[in-house]
Amino acid sequence: MRIAVVGGGPGGLYFASLMKQLDPAHRVTVWERNAPEDTFGFGVVFSDETLTGIAGADEAVHAEMERGFARWTDIDVEVDGHRFTVGGQGFAAMGRKELLQILQRRAAELGVRVHYRTPAPDVEELRAAHDLVLAADGVNSAVRSALAPAFGPSLDRRHNKYIWLGTDLVFEAFQFFVKQTEWGTMQIHGYPYSATGSTFIVEMHEEVWRRAGFDRTDGREFGPGESDAFAVSRIAEIFADELQGHRILTNNSRWLNFTTVRNERWYDGNVVLLGDAAHTAHFSIGSGTKLAMEDALALAACLHERPGVPEALEAYQAERRPVVESTQRAAQASLEWFENIGMYAGQEPAQFVFNLLTRSRRITFENLKERDAEFAALVEGGFGAHPGPAMFQPVRIGPLELNNRIIVSPMDMYSAVDGVPGDFHLVHLGSRALGGAGLVMSEMVCVSPEGRITPGCAGLWTDGQAEAWRRVTSFVHGGSSAKVGLQLGHSGRKGSTRVMWEGIDEPLPDGNWEVIGPSALPYGPGCHVPREATRDDLDRVVADFEAAARRGAEAGFDLIEVHAAHGYLLSSFLSPVANRRTDAYGGSLERRLRFPLEVFDAVRRAAPERIPVTVRISATDWLPDGTTEEDAVEIARAFVEHGAAAIDVSSGQVARHERPAYGRSYQTPFADRIRHRVAAPAGVPVIAVGAISSWDDANSILLAGRADLCALGRTHLYDPQWTLHAAAEQDYRGPGAEWPVQWQAGRRRPPTSRTDRIPPRLSLLRDGVSGTAHLRWTPERPVGVSA
């Protein structure tokens, strides 16, 4: 093959070397615009998984890298004068310059032709003269730009400012400094990469950056290789204590905003993207060099295994894309956490550290307990008043006390007849109440026949329906320790549709009943066009909610939730996607809030003081012109001011063309933001929902302070006794998980299949901490190098 590589960084050089090893007859040419000695950045961090792949593909490169590694297992976090060390992590780092030199030598040994100080020819010229063109030319890829219509790039420029520096202070571990300054929160990401130096990345929100005066050089054009001397001097002043008299090192160091790069396609014909040209992931969770070298391994293997270039490039994208997207999801969570780090300034220091360590959702409490049981015990012990996991600590929602923090989320069952719940509802909610959750929520109970989603939806517009609900609440109260909540809602423009298993959101064939909305805009193509609600309509809806709330109290519910999420009537008033009114109920957020607040106030009036009234909101519409995260903060604030006893934070389902960023616990960051900025200062708990699927995730969310309770839906469909099983799996017995007396013989976990594995009898004690390896980087320093 004739192969052209644009970019002589680690990814491009490593791929070139691998291809020459696979077949020395390949003619591989690399174009690199910089000189071989030009290297930007300081240290590069690798995972054990990546190093295993490198060792298998090229032992010579791996052996040279191994000789240059700094290795350690600890993370040190210094916050508000408190210092914490968490062990058991595992890191390997080396200087970027040393890595590049290893790869340059290896490429030369294998006969790769490299043109240094030479811009690559035009991509069309290259693709015509070569079988394969690899674009490894970085985040500002010229190849990607030239073929943008084919690749479909999106570039997301983030809010924080960062500057990549080094220091001759050799850290012994990964080092986070979190510093509260008069201008706001600043942080250092630091780690050793040799016996003589460490990476020293300074990061802060752009607003903090401006208040601190770093914008003095904003807009200035720096020459090639020139660093921002003013920034370096200012950083040396601010972080003098942390630097301990050591120097800051520079290398083309100037302020940047991180840009997340994504592409719809990674290849076009015989041109393929690799590394930062194809994707970026924030430096706080890993290394772009690591990802680029992993790409190179996968691409070389696919080219070797497949019969032709088209098949190989398709296989490469299919193999790597899911891995990279998973990394990018974790990186997105991490970078957003650091963008909002000032929000956590009031957290207790140990909780803050746990929050920092679990920010990407890749590390959970159980992961951390395996790595450093002592620190995990410190975090768990500081959370609740009673021994045991966080999820089994009691919590209050207004006057209502729950014996644990797990909620069975509202889930529509579409199994009522004329709005009357039947035996199915008794068994469905009763079994989940027996299963140990602290609070079991009804499905959305509709306040009028016209407020139903489907003909199978349950209601509370008649006394007969209330009596049927009393049968359910009486069973829950008599047979379990759970409380039972009522979610009240009106379908709005999403009403008069088929039941879910016959076609979700599909209109009924006969039209059946008229639907209303804030504006005459359908939920999506093929959906009903609602009639714009009149003042009389709105008055009727308010009265219906009030009457339903009164019936709910009489039916024995312990809590009432107003459903203002998921695109139903109240949610559609809140969203600019659905609400285009020009009267007092449309336009600004304050006006869009007016009707949902009228409804909430009516429900609060109807409910006795002993019954807390909460609200569920959609924190984002997942649409560019929809409700934003900042809107959600203000929406939550308004409901808290009107007496909401808790905020239940969901998202989306406001319009069919939404683009949610699904993933594990993907909605929790919205709850986190609302909790810290609005709810916690007001003493109002926040409920997190959305793909929380394990007790470990629930404990991690609670311990980090991202929410006060966790609501799980599908998980409880899979296992109605999920909460009790979670208690058994954690060896917890206590008031937070009360087994029905009839089931108490089943509290022990059933024995599993026999194993002949013999567990170790003895374990090493390192640094005096049983079970935790605290490996520090303490190299022998050359003569004349300060400690």
Side-chain angles (χ1 to χ4, degrees), residues 1 15 33 108 293 305 322 328 345 533 571 582 585 602 604 676 750:
M1 289 177 64
F15 172 78
R33 63 183 179 178
M293 293 181 72
E305 295 163 356
Q328 287 188 311
S571 172
T582 56
Y585 294 96
R604 181 62 274 173
H676 281 90

Side-chain angles (χ1 to χ4, degrees), residues 111-318:
V112 175
R113 189 177 180 190
V114 184
H115 298 293
Y116 292 108
R117 304 182 183 87
T118 308
D122 178 77
V123 64
E124 294 299 338
E125 179 184 337
L126 288 174
R127 76 190 313 175
H130 294 81
D131 301 300
L132 178 73
V133 178
L134 176 69
D137 50 344
V139 66
N140 298 312
S141 171
V143 175
R144 186 187 65 225
S145 297
L147 300 177
F151 292 126
S154 68
L155 308 178
D156 179 15
R157 184 179 183 273
R158 301 306 304 180
H159 309 302
N160 271 14
K161 288 284 189 181
Y162 73 97
I163 185 168
W164 205 287
L165 301 165
T167 176
D168 59 2
L169 170 60
V170 180
F171 296 127
E172 294 185 356
F174 206 110
Q175 178 70 64
F176 286 106
F177 294 111
V178 181
K179 195 175 185 78
Q180 304 300 335
T181 73
E182 60 187 284
W183 310 285
T185 306
M186 302 179 185
Q187 64 266 13
I188 300 293
H189 309 249
Y191 56 87
Y193 60 82
S194 73
T196 59
S198 301
T199 294
F200 193 80
I201 305 170
V202 184
E203 186 186 20
M204 66 196 73
H205 197 280
E206 188 162 339
E207 293 176 2
V208 177
W209 178 80
R210 292 190 183 280
R211 287 196 294 266
F214 284 114
D215 60 348
R216 177 169 151 181
T217 54
D218 194 18
R220 175 182 163 183
E221 292 291 331
F222 291 94
E226 183 184 3
S227 297
D228 187 338
F230 171 74
V232 172
S233 173
R234 189 97 172 89
I235 288 166
E237 292 175 10
I238 294 171
F239 290 98
D241 290 344
E242 290 75 12
L243 286 164
Q244 303 173 39
H246 286 263
R247 293 180 301 132
I248 290 177
L249 310 176
T250 62
N251 183 353
N252 201 45
S253 304
R254 66 278 298 262
W255 291 108
L256 300 168
N257 290 73
F258 187 83
T259 299
T260 301
V261 175
R262 299 179 178 89
N263 284 275
E264 293 177 11
R265 283 174 57 86
W266 290 8
Y267 67 94
D268 174 53
N270 64 341
V271 181
V272 62
L273 303 176
L274 179 145
D276 285 354
H279 49 73
T280 58
H282 193 252
F283 54 82
S284 61
I285 70 129
S287 158
T289 300
K290 165 191 174 299
L291 289 175
M293 293 181 72
E294 289 174 347
D295 284 354
L297 277 165
L299 179 56
C302 289
L303 286 162
H304 184 62
E305 295 163 356
R306 304 289 168 158
V309 169
E311 297 88 349
L313 299 189
E314 183 180 3
Y316 161 68
Q317 179 174 281

Side-chain angles (χ1 to χ4, degrees), residues 651-674:
S651 72
Q653 302 179 53
V654 174
R656 261 192 168 173
H657 59 291
E658 67 178 1
R659 297 289 296 275
Y662 290 120
R664 201 171 101 253
S665 307
Y666 72 106
Q667 294 180 152
T668 301
F670 305 128
D672 189 6
R673 183 176 289 104
I674 287 170

Side-chain angles (χ1 to χ4, degrees), residues 386-388 392-394 402-404 436 438 481 732-739:
H386 307 295
F392 295 117
Q393 298 297 323
L402 307 178
N403 68 337
N404 65 52
S481 61
Y732 171 76
R733 291 191 181 187
E738 294 186 9
W739 287 72

